[in-house]
Amino acid sequence: MGEGGRNREPIGGISPNPAADPRPLRRYLKAGTRGRLDLPPGLIKKLGASPGARLEVRARDGRFEIKPNIHSLSRLYIEPTSRCNLACRTCIRNTWKEPMGDMSTALFGRLVSQLKDFCHLESVMFAGFGEPTAHADILRMIRAVKTLGLRVEITTNGTLLDGPMIDGLRRAGLDMLWASFDSAGEKGFEDIRRGAKFEPIVAALKNLQAGNVRGRRKIRVGISFVVMRRNVADLKRMDDLAREVGADKVLVSNILPYSEDMEKEMLCALTLSTATFSSAARTEISLPRMDVASHTREAILHLLQGYENLSLMGNPIFAETNFCRFVEDRTAFVRWDGQVAPCLGLLHGYTTYLYGYERNIKPHGFGNVGQRTLGCIWRSRNYRRFREKIRNFDFAPCHICGGCNLLESNDEDCLGNTFPSCGGCLWAQGLIQCP
């Protein structure tokens, strides 16, 4: 026991079951001679601090943040299939003109055999724009990744979570399951997620939770919620739904508007302009913890409208903009056909609308794991240069542009950036987020 009766982990220790340990990582560093810091092995892995790696240090108000090495792969998304058994109103698949398909056994085997070459890789997420549990070999895929000692997650619409599937996921070693709920009630849920039934999915997740209580192998559950005008009131009920199905996380995202009707459902048009034009001119305000009640609500709401300058006890509450979380989190995506993309936004082609303008997004990749190894693709000069360019994010602000012909696609922008031009990416503006 350490000071104050608390258990202390060894420096550099890693939780034996990270899926069951949601606590933030906290480590102490020992200063050596000449001011050098001795990094423990666990932290070296999380920072991607291989010999010669450059780590960015950011300072703000006396606090320092060490950014990981973006050239060390930490998280891999694998899209088992682009097929789905639903026709959700919120899905960009409504604008697709691509062929549907499943990842072949041979391609997956080739891919998974290469993962041991990535010493900083920590997790694999089975996700994409299809329904992963619709792939006939999904349980074998999860098991194959888990045997490498990696954390394994999956996103699902929940419609195929019958008893055998849940038991299979548990035996395969799944660590976390993200279930998509775009409403906390039956009527709204079935209106948005066309083809799904609310009650059977809730019952399936309750069954999963009951198995967690009985068994030694637990699967954590999270909820993914796409918020719109039609369902924003359900945010008040998401905690109740999470408790009912045994979820300990709820991740909320704005909708990616693939049509003019979906653009009208967005709840972030004012946020885009506020973040772009007002933050530099407003005084920074740091609030204490305080009641949110009838006599404080109006004042707090007024401050939140300029939230880019608002902090809580010195801790900023705003999301970074012009910031690619996929690059910063050191992720890569492997599409069902083997194409390697840097982010979810470039995994497939689709159409979006913003300010009434149609924008056609073209997919972009750096190679195919059916032809080259993932290591060769990840370490290629073009991919490295792309990650550096994205970290700097010197793109035109297409997300607030009044409209020009360059806004029609992600081919180029008015600052001379060529394909893919990421200035119109809503993920990078803190509006869209994914598990």
Side-chain angles (χ1 to χ4, degrees), residues 48 146 176 178 220 239 249 272 300 326 351 388 397 433:
K146 193 60 186 177
M176 186 153 192
W178 288 91
R220 286 181 63 197
D239 185 57
K249 282 188 176 182
L272 275 174
I300 292 175
F326 298 115
T351 300
E388 294 286 355
Q433 61 174 340

Side-chain angles (χ1 to χ4, degrees), residues 284-290 292 296 299-301 303-304 309-315 317:
E284 182 175 325
I285 298 176
S286 178
L287 295 177
R289 294 179 62 196
M290 57 193 299
V292 180
T296 62
I300 292 175
L301 179 60
L303 292 174
L304 284 172
N309 301 77
L310 198 63
S311 64
L312 183 64
M313 296 296 292
N315 297 290
I317 66 170

Side-chain angles (χ1 to χ4, degrees), residues 142-143 146 150 152 168-175 217 219:
I142 293 172
R143 188 179 302 111
K146 193 60 186 177
L150 300 173
V152 186
L169 292 172
R170 198 182 305 278
R171 288 195 301 270
L174 183 69
D175 292 299
R217 190 73 179 82
I219 300 175

Side-chain angles (χ1 to χ4, degrees), residues 332-410:
F333 287 73
V334 181
R335 203 167 64 187
W336 68 270
D337 59 359
Q339 190 73 7
V340 178
C343 62
L344 190 60
L346 294 174
L347 189 64
H348 291 278
Y350 52 93
T351 300
T352 63
Y353 283 80
L354 201 59
Y355 309 116
Y357 294 99
E358 181 179 299
R359 183 174 174 86
N360 294 301
I361 304 300
K362 299 177 182 178
H364 181 63
F366 291 92
N368 193 296
V369 294
Q371 301 164 357
R372 300 168 59 198
T373 67
L374 181 60
C376 287
I377 296 170
W378 174 260
R379 300 181 185 99
S380 67
R381 179 178 298 181
N382 286 342
Y383 203 166
R384 288 181 64 92
R385 286 178 174 174
F386 176 84
R387 291 192 291 267
E388 294 286 355
K389 181 177 181 179
I390 294 299
R391 168 166 274 187
N392 294 330
F393 216 88
D394 293 326
F395 295 99
C398 301
H399 60 284
I400 48 92
C401 183
C404 72
N405 62 331
L406 297 180
L407 191 64
E408 296 174 358
S409 73
N410 59 336

Side-chain angles (χ1 to χ4, degrees), residues 164-398:
M165 175 61 76
I166 291 174
D167 291 342
L169 292 172
R170 198 182 305 278
R171 288 195 301 270
L174 183 69
D175 292 299
M176 186 153 192
L177 180 146
W178 288 91
S180 297
F181 277 91
D182 295 334
S183 177
E186 181 177 15
K187 183 178 180 181
F189 179 90
E190 294 178 6
D191 174 64
I192 296 171
R193 306 193 67 77
R194 294 176 295 189
K197 295 296 182 182
F198 180 78
E199 290 298 339
I201 296 174
V202 170
L205 293 174
K206 286 182 176 180
N207 181 30
L208 188 154
Q209 177 66 8
N212 283 345
V213 174
R214 294 192 304 267
R216 297 175 59 187
R217 190 73 179 82
K218 301 185 186 303
I219 300 175
R220 286 181 63 197
V221 175
I223 289 176
S224 179
F225 181 87
V226 177
V227 67
M228 303 175 285
R229 289 185 180 275
R230 71 176 65 194
N231 67 359
V232 64
D234 280 356
L235 282 176
K236 296 184 294 185
R237 303 164 58 193
M238 290 312 296
D239 185 57
D240 292 336
L241 177 63
R243 292 174 185 273
E244 183 178 4
V245 302
D248 58 21
K249 282 188 176 182
V250 177
L251 185 146
V252 182
S253 175
N254 284 290
I255 188 172
L256 187 64
Y258 66 84
S259 71
E260 292 179 285
D261 287 341
M262 287 297 103
E263 184 184 358
K264 295 174 184 177
E265 292 276 3
M266 293 180 72
L267 300 174
C268 52
L270 180 60
T271 296
L272 275 174
S273 59
T274 299
T276 303
F277 296 115
S278 67
S279 60
R282 302 187 66 158
T283 303
E284 182 175 325
I285 298 176
S286 178
L287 295 177
R289 294 179 62 196
M290 57 193 299
D291 294 338
V292 180
S294 58
H295 55 286
T296 62
R297 188 176 296 118
E298 182 179 352
I300 292 175
L301 179 60
H302 174 78
L303 292 174
L304 284 172
Q305 290 174 342
Y307 70 94
E308 296 296 314
N309 301 77
L310 198 63
S311 64
L312 183 64
M313 296 296 292
N315 297 290
I317 66 170
F318 61 85
E320 287 193 69
T321 57
N322 297 329
F323 176 87
C324 179
R325 286 149 188 82
F326 298 115
V327 167
E328 296 295 337
D329 291 343
R330 304 135 67 203
T331 63
F333 287 73
V334 181
R335 203 167 64 187
W336 68 270
D337 59 359
Q339 190 73 7
V340 178
C343 62
L344 190 60
L346 294 174
L347 189 64
H348 291 278
Y350 52 93
T351 300
T352 63
Y353 283 80
L354 201 59
Y355 309 116
Y357 294 99
E358 181 179 299
R359 183 174 174 86
N360 294 301
I361 304 300
K362 299 177 182 178
H364 181 63
F366 291 92
N368 193 296
V369 294
Q371 301 164 357
R372 300 168 59 198
T373 67
L374 181 60
C376 287
I377 296 170
W378 174 260
R379 300 181 185 99
S380 67
R381 179 178 298 181
N382 286 342
Y383 203 166
R384 288 181 64 92
R385 286 178 174 174
F386 176 84
R387 291 192 291 267
E388 294 286 355
K389 181 177 181 179
I390 294 299
R391 168 166 274 187
N392 294 330
F393 216 88
D394 293 326
F395 295 99
C398 301

